[in-house]
Amino acid sequence: MTSTLFTSCRMPRRRLLIASAGAAASIACHSTLFAQPASPARQERLRILCTGPAGSVPDIVARTFGEALVGVFAQQVVVDNRPGAAGQIAVQALRSAPPDGSTWLLGQGAIASLYPTLYPKLGYEPERDLVPLSMAAEMDLAIAVGSAVPAEVADMKMLLDWMRRHPGAANAASPGTGTLPHILEVMLFDQAGLDWRHVPYPGGPPAIAALLGGQVAVLALPEGLLLPQVASGRLRLLGTSGRERSRFSPGVPTLAEQGQARSVMREWFAFFAPAGSPPAIAEEAAIAIGKAVAQPVLASRFRDAAMTAAPSSPAGLAAKIEDDRRAWTPLLVEAGIRAQT
């Protein structure tokens, strides 16, 4: 479990680097404490529970918003990493939090929209335990290959052919069972009739390490986490999951362009409050998130991470959850995708 504190203070032109307590040595995760004037923020302290480990996409989203919310919603913001069980550990922590606006959850949209279908024994009920606040960010997923796949494999058709000819090497990593990257892999490889093996990891960074080390052949992950290794030449992107080509990887064709029309999807993340949180608090939180998005530093960091900020009202988030549930539940049932608790 990792936590990082952001706070407002009265030290002009000073920046202090605070190391994340307890972060793994292999993931050097630091956050910046920005000097800001004291302001009449609603909360003295806000804790953001995060479904991912340090260095993961939800962690990046949570920390970027955490800095931007200082002085806007709270005087201090703490990002509290609670990874594991595809977000369920963080959700359980939210359930025990007071419904007073002092604790939010930042998690993938699937925890509210898809997991009731994916998990036969889910430890929470989204409608009962999660109060929608606002969407946070959206991004394309990408299919990447590393050294385990020959360099001549240059597109999805060639990858599927290679996996079919090499069933012993046809394994694909994801940041966890039941995550949207895992679902994308199932949609791609099951529909192709492949004999393949899913290898789940506790978040994106260890999955990337496995791909770089050749322990796995393929990885589906939000595009932004993969781009640094793509730029270094260590990984190759074969397709992205949006309806249109990603503006961050315009030279990479979409999966739909390559005949995988049913694999069009975007990963998204959102903020939630615990059950019992009053509507007024939810509306205040959504307004604060909108103000955070308007800050140039947040927009810049999201661009660097190949993300798009996507604030919404609580009602807008609730509608997005319902839209995803209606769109994806029949496909999940048809494909027989189920996760183990």
Side-chain angles (χ1 to χ4, degrees):
M1 184 172 63
T2 304
S3 62
T4 297
L5 171 68
F6 305 95
T7 182
S8 63
C9 55
R10 299 181 183 223
M11 298 183 294
R13 299 184 183 178
R14 294 186 61 194
R15 293 168 55 172
L16 303 178
L17 294 180
I18 304 298
S20 300
S26 61
I27 305 174
C29 185
H30 295 78
S31 297
T32 304
L33 178 65
F34 286 93
Q36 293 192 14
S39 65
R42 185 190 187 286
Q43 293 283 340
E44 181 167 336
R45 185 182 177 95
L46 170 65
R47 179 174 61 140
I48 300 177
L49 296 162
C50 177
T51 60
S56 66
V57 171
D59 179 69
I60 293 169
V61 175
R63 291 174 190 279
T64 301
F65 269 101
E67 290 189 27
L69 286 165
V70 171
V72 174
F73 188 81
Q75 294 297 320
Q76 296 181 337
V77 179
V78 177
V79 175
D80 185 355
N81 296 82
R82 298 293 183 99
Q88 294 186 68
I89 293 174
V91 172
Q92 294 301 332
L94 184 74
R95 292 180 67 190
S96 64
D100 59 1
S102 64
T103 303
W104 298 356
L105 170 72
L106 186 283
Q108 57 272 38
I111 64 174
S113 59
L114 304 185
Y115 286 2
T117 300
L118 283 169
Y119 286 87
K121 295 182 180 179
L122 193 63
Y124 63 92
E125 295 181 15
E127 293 88 348
R128 181 193 66 195
D129 298 320
L130 300 176
V131 173
L133 297 180
S134 170
M135 288 184 61
E138 294 182 307
M139 63 216 68
D140 286 343
L141 300 177
I143 299 294
V145 296
S147 59
V149 177
E152 59 266 23
V153 174
D155 59 29
M156 285 303 300
K157 181 180 183 304
M158 296 175 71
L159 175 63
L160 296 177
D161 288 344
W162 179 84
M163 293 174 71
R164 189 172 289 109
R165 295 194 309 269
H166 302 85
N171 51 27
S174 81
T177 300
T179 59
L180 202 62
H182 174 215
I183 294 171
L184 176 59
E185 292 171 347
V186 171
M187 299 296 288
L188 289 170
F189 305 142
D190 277 12
Q191 288 183 32
L194 297 181
D195 180 12
W196 67 290
R197 182 169 62 94
H198 174 235
V199 185
Y201 286 87
I208 291 175
L211 188 65
L212 291 171
Q215 285 84 38
V216 293
V218 186
L219 171 61
L221 210 60
E223 177 188 11
L225 278 188
L226 297 165
L227 290 181
Q229 300 297 340
V230 172
S232 70
R234 301 182 70 190
L235 298 180
R236 312 188 310 275
L237 295 190
L238 301 187
T240 54
S241 68
R243 295 189 181 279
E244 301 176 349
R245 291 197 181 194
S246 167
R247 62 190 177 98
F248 303 105
S249 305
V252 179
T254 66
L255 297 171
E257 285 181 85
Q258 300 181 70
Q260 304 292 337
R262 295 186 68 185
S263 298
V264 173
M265 61 181 71
R266 296 198 86 200
E267 179 76 282
W268 58 275
F269 294 85
F271 287 104
F272 301 89
S277 298
I281 287 181
E283 293 291 344
E284 282 186 66
I287 291 171
I289 290 165
K291 290 179 179 179
V293 167
Q295 297 183 26
V297 64
L298 187 143
S300 175
R301 291 186 182 181
F302 270 25
R303 282 195 303 270
D304 291 344
M307 302 178 190
T308 302
S312 73
S313 66
L317 173 55
K320 172 64 173 173
I321 292 168
E322 184 58 28
D323 287 347
D324 268 25
R325 186 176 295 147
R326 288 177 178 173
W328 283 102
T329 297
L331 295 175
L332 297 177
V333 172
E334 179 186 342
I337 303 174
R338 299 286 276 177
Q340 298 299 317
T341 54

